[in-house]
Amino acid sequence: MTENLLFIKDINFKKGSKVFIRCDFNTPMDEFQNITDDRRIRSALATIKYCLDEGCSVILTSHLGRPKNGYEEKFSLEPIAKRLSRLLNKDVIFVKDIIGEMAKKAVSELKTGEILLLENLRFEKGETKNDENFAKELANFADYYINDAFGVCHRAHASVHAITKFFDDEHKCAGFLLKKEIEFASNLIKHPARPFVAVVGGSKVSGKLQALKNLLPKVDKLIIGGGMAFTFIKALGYEIGNSLLEEDLIDEALKVLEKGKELGVKIYLPVDAIVAPYLSNDTVMKYVPIQEMPKDWMGLDIGPASVTLFKEALDSAQTIWWNGPMGVFEIDKFSRGSFRMSHFIAESPATTVIGGGDTADVVARAGDKDEVTFISTGGGASLELIEGKELPGVKVLIREEKN
Ligand code: AMP
């Protein structure tokens, strides 16, 4: 997939040009707009510095969160500009505008070597609608277009999709981060060192069913934890109390288990759980074997026996792909299973790939983020790559074959 990807290193940048870089600065912030994890900003630095070294100026854009109706302070990119400036040790000009007069003026005054950050793209309705007029206004700002926002490539939005129509193959490309993300996911699927173990969790089978189906013929072992495991456990005929259940997917869950057997893939499900009558930090809780789930309680984390079992299954792994927490890790009481899995995966000598989103958050909170091989910056996009889907934002950066 990456052979024909238009890549930043193949572009002949003319000195003094302006480069539009679509970044993913969708960073988590606390209630005071303090950035709590700047991994996504750091991940964009290589592409930004490269363009500056090529003698260009850069116009950076991103979305942040999901603003509904235009400007909202809590979704402003202003804190990003400050952090970026500190990380680059360089001024970053910030305008509270996207395609209006202020933005146009700032772009026209931008000098070689300078960095400009525009306001949150999603303050403009055209962004999520993939609006061509909006995309054209953005495209008019620059001579070159670079996409380094892997986290949004599974969405056909104006700044990753429609905008590419306004640049030819010599003037648009993927940045370093985007290429690295795609390469990691496709190498993982194509040439994993074996045994290859996939660990999936999280709340919904429906969100990961396609990935499970695509992974089954490729993996040696599959570990299923988190809320989604209960649909499988129910499918095997056990009582699961009030645990998460997707009743309409019980048959699909059985099919996955049968297919695994047919293919010789070893599938591991939790053998015990931490259960509570309701979801809260101050509820009572207890450990139970999976055969003894109390009727009105719900399973909110994997238990210690499952932790040991999963550790043994991981011991021989040479490649591990992890997507989805083992329990409700956001609540301390139910975070142990996810954190211990994070430690095992971090300590493993295997190539370890974390599928972004919540799982990246687990690994960060567990203090393991420097110990894993690769943490994807995009949860949804990374999952779609594993599902074998073509990402709209990547498809438009594939070199056109000339006859
Ligand atoms: P997903 O977006 O499907 O990857 O799900 C992530 C969410 O799953 C996290 O917010 C977890 O709190 C939640 N989760 C994990 N295990 C459970 C569980 N046993 N019951 C309810 N929610 C869970």
Side-chain angles (χ1 to χ4, degrees), residues 249-387:
L249 290 181
I250 290 181
D251 279 351
E252 286 287 345
L254 268 182
K255 275 189 207 152
V256 168
L257 297 177
E258 274 157 23
K259 187 83 189 159
K261 225 183 265 169
E262 206 181 296
L263 294 167
V265 176
K266 289 156 191 86
I267 300 185
Y268 300 80
L269 285 164
V271 290
D272 62 346
I274 295 179
V275 293
Y278 54 92
L279 183 57
S280 139
N281 219 349
D282 41 52
T283 171
V284 288
M285 56 171 242
K286 59 182 178 185
Y287 300 133
V288 292
I290 221 68
Q291 294 79 351
E292 296 175 28
M293 293 278 297
K295 225 173 175 330
D296 298 322
W297 292 40
M298 51 182 120
L300 295 170
D301 195 8
I302 55 172
S306 310
V307 167
T308 306
L309 171 72
F310 291 175
K311 177 182 185 317
E312 281 186 22
L314 285 172
D315 265 350
S316 60
Q318 290 296 314
T319 307
I320 302 171
W321 178 76
W322 184 19
N323 192 310
M326 296 291 104
V328 184
F329 73 99
E330 298 92 336
I331 295 184
D332 287 344
K333 267 193 163 156
F334 310 113
S335 64
R336 273 184 75 110
S338 300
F339 286 178
R340 294 199 61 197
M341 279 303 271
S342 171
H343 297 333
F344 298 150
I345 290 172
E347 280 160 16
S348 165
T351 299
T352 48
V353 182
I354 309 300
D358 279 325
T359 325
D361 199 15
V362 171
V363 173
R365 288 200 205 188
D368 293 325
K369 66 178 177 188
D370 295 329
E371 307 301 326
V372 292
T373 314
F374 187 70
I375 304 182
S376 174
T377 52
S382 138
L383 198 62
E384 291 201 12
L385 272 185
I386 297 292
E387 286 170 2

Side-chain angles (χ1 to χ4, degrees), residues 116-292:
L116 169 69
L117 174 65
L118 301 178
E119 193 42 291
N120 190 342
L121 289 164
R122 289 194 188 163
F123 289 161
E124 288 282 343
K125 287 233 155 43
E127 169 62 0
T128 50
K129 293 197 171 127
N130 205 19
D131 182 274
E132 275 203 21
N133 293 326
F134 174 58
K136 193 169 182 196
E137 296 266 2
L138 292 175
N140 282 341
F141 283 159
D143 308 293
Y144 298 90
Y145 168 82
I146 300 180
N147 182 351
D148 220 11
F150 175 68
V152 280
C153 282
H154 58 313
R155 311 253 180 249
H157 287 175
S159 65
V160 291
H161 194 265
I163 192 169
T164 58
K165 290 194 185 132
F166 303 100
F167 295 90
D168 62 24
D169 282 5
E170 277 69 51
H171 294 84
K172 65 180 166 197
C173 64
F176 294 106
L177 174 65
L178 183 54
K179 178 153 165 128
K180 198 153 111 186
E181 288 272 9
I182 299 168
E183 259 172 7
F184 248 100
S186 42
N187 285 342
L188 185 82
I189 289 289
K190 269 194 254 152
H191 322 284
R194 297 193 175 274
F196 175 17
V197 185
V199 182
V200 294
S203 56
K204 286 191 181 148
V205 182
S206 45
K208 306 223 165 89
L209 190 62
Q210 198 45 47
L212 284 180
K213 285 185 176 165
N214 201 35
L215 277 170
L216 262 187
K218 288 158 185 151
V219 297
D220 301 289
K221 301 182 188 185
L222 172 65
I223 296 175
I224 305 175
M228 65 183 281
F230 291 102
T231 300
F232 288 85
I233 293 166
K234 177 85 178 176
L236 292 173
Y238 294 106
E239 168 69 50
I240 58 163
N242 287 339
S243 307
L244 279 186
L245 171 67
E246 282 170 281
E247 196 130 27
D248 50 329
L249 290 181
I250 290 181
D251 279 351
E252 286 287 345
L254 268 182
K255 275 189 207 152
V256 168
L257 297 177
E258 274 157 23
K259 187 83 189 159
K261 225 183 265 169
E262 206 181 296
L263 294 167
V265 176
K266 289 156 191 86
I267 300 185
Y268 300 80
L269 285 164
V271 290
D272 62 346
I274 295 179
V275 293
Y278 54 92
L279 183 57
S280 139
N281 219 349
D282 41 52
T283 171
V284 288
M285 56 171 242
K286 59 182 178 185
Y287 300 133
V288 292
I290 221 68
Q291 294 79 351
E292 296 175 28

